[in-house]
Amino acid sequence: MMKAGKRILSLVLLVVSMTAGPLALTGCHGSKGLGAFHMPEEFGLSGNYEITFWAKNDTNKTQTAIYEQAIVDFEKLYPNITVNLRLYTDYGKIYNDVITNITTNTTPNVCITYPDHIATYLSGTNLVVPLDSLFDDEKYGLGGSEVRFAAPSAEEIIPQFLEECLIDGHYYALPYMRSSEACYINKTYVEALGYTLPDVLTWDFVWEVSEAAMAKDAEDNFLINGQKVLIPFIYKSTDNMMIQMLKQKNAGYSTADGELLLFQDDTKELLYTIAEHGKSGAFSTFKISSYPANFLNTGQCLFAIDSTAGATWMGTNAPLSDISEDKVVEFETEVMTIPQFDPQHPQMISQGPSVCIFNKEDPQEVLASWLFTQYLLSNDVQIAYARTEGYVPVTSKAQESAEYQDYLSRCGENNTDYYDVKIKATELLLNHIDHTFVTPVFNGSASLRDAAGQLIENTVKSVRRKQEVNDAYMDKLYEDTISLYRLDQLNSASSPSSGKRDLGELPKTSVILLSSLATAWALILTYVVVCRVKRRNM
């Protein structure tokens, strides 16, 4: 009987260990979290606070210097706050590191991020500080009486940009910089092909000119540039490409409740068109070919779509171009809005970094983080950073300042501080703020965005490999993409808001896990009964 009991106990331990593995892996992300942040009545000037700031720059030393100077100036105002800067070159790496650090409660205090990413962080308990009460605090809120610098008021933050930081009825971030996308055009080549740029760029125009540019001579050189290489149209961010095309056609992408509308017939029609031009070689993407600027500046591209923040890489005289001088081609660069389906009602995406604050056990530490976050919206920081690339300050206070208006007025004065392509890209967004939009944010919206771009990437890759793109291909593409990004696990419950929701059927892994646990408890009870029977027989 003793041997039987041991065998049962061994089996119990085996089952428990098998089921504990998945629980241990998933339990880290679902940690207990912290208590809700409560605003202190006063900021403790007697204590010392050390906060970490995770930021992104594009290996731009000027941007790094601006961050460093902002920290020096802020620490002079608040000698009891020390800010430690950690720089990244990719938003995705910041996102991944935050997710990793959540499990060890070592998140940064202040973090450059995107609302899509914040929605994922909100799946934890009180991880990100809602800023509503901080906005309105008389002493330390936006433009508060005890703030030691000229912080903007809530009314001075551009409403469209601030609205982007609203998730489930609460503000979880402040906008830091804003950009959109622009089409950087080799106007010289377009006109050499016999075309005149329209007032508003359209998709039909771009596709037609791109195909016309594919003509070659008897030696297989492209007629327009005399080179062996030409990709007339290159798009940097294919997720933005798909999202904006759908928006312009009033087609579905997703709802605010997290309902996924991407995988429908309108998307297929767009993909068929993209496949046609990918097959001819007239269209490619950054992931397949390389940076659009590399092709544009060497005369190997006519239409390069990239962020307005990437303007300093674009054009013959681009100050940040890293192409050897002997490869650069002279041409006139035009900066226009992205192509449109309806020129009378242009639509373009709003993008750019925001700043969120992570909760900590000490509310004074959180308040110190909030003060630094506000400082990033002061004129000194906003104007200095916006001048580095084609970014736009997020406050009317900075945009309307004499210093910033003087900067814009000096367009083309030189090819560094006042590079004409950079300032034209900036003015493009300033003139079209009312035509910008953002996509709904929910837990899983970042994955949906990736999936939107993947549809285009896979389609172009397939036609380059001479695969047939038909309805069967599209059905398989949808199925594979949904599986790759686990979008079948998302539903209207994706919103981070609390409340009871219909979660649907349990996944098979959960059913197996719960069944294993039930089996384990049954075996434990059996072991207890066996032991009691054994004692009685003794």
Side-chain angles (χ1 to χ4, degrees):
M1 186 65 68
M2 179 66 77
K3 291 182 178 179
K6 287 183 177 179
R7 283 197 297 271
I8 293 173
L9 179 59
S10 298
L11 183 57
V12 169
L13 292 175
L14 176 62
V15 174
V16 170
S17 67
M18 290 173 64
T19 57
L23 286 175
L25 290 173
T26 58
C28 293
H29 190 69
S31 58
K32 294 180 180 179
L34 299 166
F37 167 73
H38 295 288
M39 183 72 172
E41 292 186 7
E42 299 287 341
F43 177 58
L45 296 175
S46 59
N48 293 314
Y49 306 100
E50 187 169 338
I51 64 175
T52 55
F53 173 40
W54 289 6
K56 175 190 176 290
N57 73 337
D58 294 306
T59 65
N60 187 325
K61 293 181 179 180
T62 304
Q63 291 177 348
T64 301
I66 291 168
Y67 283 135
E68 292 171 344
Q69 187 61 51
I71 290 171
V72 169
D73 295 340
F74 176 77
E75 289 177 345
K76 287 179 181 178
L77 295 168
Y78 294 92
N80 64 326
I81 302 176
T82 299
V83 182
N84 297 314
L85 174 65
R86 180 173 177 177
L87 289 172
Y88 289 79
T89 57
D90 184 86
Y91 289 111
K93 291 180 180 178
I94 297 179
Y95 172 73
N96 290 334
D97 276 7
V98 169
I99 294 297
T100 300
N101 285 44
I102 285 174
T103 64
T104 56
N105 293 320
T106 54
T107 54
N109 295 87
V110 181
C111 183
I112 295 284
T113 188
Y114 277 97
D116 279 334
H117 295 167
I118 295 173
T120 303
Y121 306 154
L122 289 176
S123 60
T125 305
N126 296 322
L127 285 173
V128 184
V129 177
L131 304 180
D132 309 67
S133 62
L134 288 164
F135 281 5
D136 301 329
D137 189 83
E138 291 185 5
K139 292 182 178 179
Y140 304 105
L142 291 166
S145 60
E146 299 299 314
V147 177
R148 296 181 175 181
F149 52 88
S153 66
E155 292 73 25
E156 289 175 319
I157 302 176
I158 303 299
Q160 292 94 326
F161 299 159
L162 184 59
E163 199 71 13
E164 295 172 21
C165 299
L166 189 66
I167 304 174
D168 244 30
H170 297 281
Y171 291 102
Y172 283 98
L174 280 177
Y176 173 57
M177 284 286 148
R178 282 298 175 265
S179 62
S180 185
E181 287 190 325
C183 188
Y184 303 92
I185 305 170
N186 185 327
K187 184 179 179 181
T188 303
Y189 282 5
V190 171
E191 292 182 345
L193 288 168
Y195 292 90
T196 300
L197 289 172
D199 292 335
V200 179
L201 209 58
T202 65
W203 289 103
D204 285 343
F205 180 85
V206 170
W207 293 131
E208 181 180 339
V209 176
S210 297
E211 291 293 346
M214 295 297 291
K216 295 182 178 182
D217 62 19
E219 297 179 355
D220 209 34
N221 296 310
F222 289 97
L223 293 174
I224 191 62
N225 65 359
Q227 301 183 45
K228 296 290 186 184
V229 177
L230 179 71
I231 306 175
F233 181 20
I234 305 177
Y235 214 116
K236 170 75 183 298
S237 174
T238 47
D239 48 1
N240 281 346
M241 180 182 184
M242 177 57 74
I243 289 167
Q244 290 172 115
M245 291 179 106
L246 290 172
K247 179 70 173 180
Q248 292 173 12
K249 293 180 74 70
N250 291 318
Y253 171 69
S254 74
T255 67
D257 293 329
E259 183 182 359
L260 310 185
L261 306 175
L262 171 64
F263 302 95
Q264 33 81 5
D265 290 342
D266 289 309
T267 303
K268 285 184 181 180
E269 289 182 14
L270 294 173
L271 290 173
Y272 280 127
T273 300
I274 291 168
E276 175 188 347
H277 301 292
K279 184 177 182 179
S280 70
F283 173 74
S284 190
T285 74
F286 157 68
K287 288 183 178 179
I288 293 173
S289 298
S290 186
Y291 287 98
N294 292 347
F295 289 87
L296 182 72
N297 297 349
T298 54
Q300 297 173 345
C301 174
L302 279 72
F303 303 99
I305 296 185
D306 202 339
S307 170
T308 55
T312 45
W313 278 268
M314 299 290 185
T316 299
N317 301 307
L320 293 185
S321 177
D322 54 4
I323 299 170
S324 60
E325 292 186 11
D326 61 309
K327 299 293 185 182
V328 176
V329 173
E330 289 281 342
F331 62 93
E332 182 180 353
T333 306
E334 188 65 71
V335 183
M336 300 185 70
T337 58
I338 63 166
Q340 302 290 322
F341 285 113
D342 182 359
Q344 302 302 316
H345 302 91
Q347 298 271 10
M348 50 198 285
I349 201 160
S350 176
Q351 57 187 17
S354 296
V355 185
C356 72
I357 298 172
F358 284 95
N359 197 14
K360 302 295 175 183
E361 291 184 0
D362 185 356
Q364 292 285 348
E365 186 178 336
V366 176
L367 181 50
S369 302
W370 166 243
L371 290 170
F372 178 68
T373 299
Q374 283 193 75
Y375 190 74
L376 294 174
L377 268 66
S378 64
N379 274 15
D380 286 347
V381 180
Q382 285 286 299
I383 295 173
Y385 200 94
R387 289 178 60 156
T388 64
E389 295 178 3
Y391 280 117
V392 166
V394 298
T395 69
S396 58
K397 186 174 185 177
Q399 289 184 13
E400 296 168 5
S401 67
E403 180 183 354
Y404 188 66
Q405 289 300 312
D406 175 70
Y407 161 71
L408 294 176
S409 70
R410 299 171 74 174
C411 177
E413 192 171 293
N414 59 48
N415 290 327
T416 52
D417 295 337
Y418 308 107
Y419 181 48
D420 61 343
V421 173
K422 176 184 66 171
I423 294 181
K424 285 178 181 179
T426 299
E427 291 178 324
L428 182 148
L429 177 53
L430 288 170
N431 294 332
H432 288 277
I433 288 176
D434 290 340
H435 298 143
T436 62
F437 72 94
V438 293
T439 54
V441 173
F442 50 88
N443 187 8
S445 57
S447 295
L448 182 62
R449 168 177 284 275
D450 290 340
Q454 197 64 47
L455 293 175
I456 293 176
E457 301 291 348
N458 284 2
T459 298
V460 176
K461 287 178 183 177
S462 294
V463 294
R464 282 172 165 245
R465 295 167 183 163
K466 304 192 183 305
Q467 292 178 245
E468 185 178 357
V469 172
N470 51 28
D471 286 346
Y473 171 90
M474 291 295 181
D475 291 341
K476 184 67 164 55
L477 176 64
Y478 279 12
E479 180 183 341
D480 290 346
T481 306
I482 289 169
S483 176
L484 176 64
Y485 293 100
R486 301 181 181 180
L487 298 177
D488 51 342
Q489 298 178 23
L490 300 179
N491 55 25
S492 59
S494 298
S495 170
S497 62
S498 59
K500 294 182 178 180
R501 292 180 287 266
D502 180 10
L503 301 178
E505 295 183 2
L506 282 173
K508 290 183 179 179
T509 53
S510 299
V511 173
I512 294 171
L513 175 60
L514 293 173
S515 300
S516 300
L517 287 172
T519 302
W521 279 110
L523 291 172
I524 290 172
L525 292 173
T526 302
Y527 175 67
V528 171
V529 171
V530 170
C531 288
R532 287 182 178 178
V533 170
K534 175 180 173 294
R535 291 194 193 99
R536 288 177 183 175
N537 292 337
M538 289 177 65

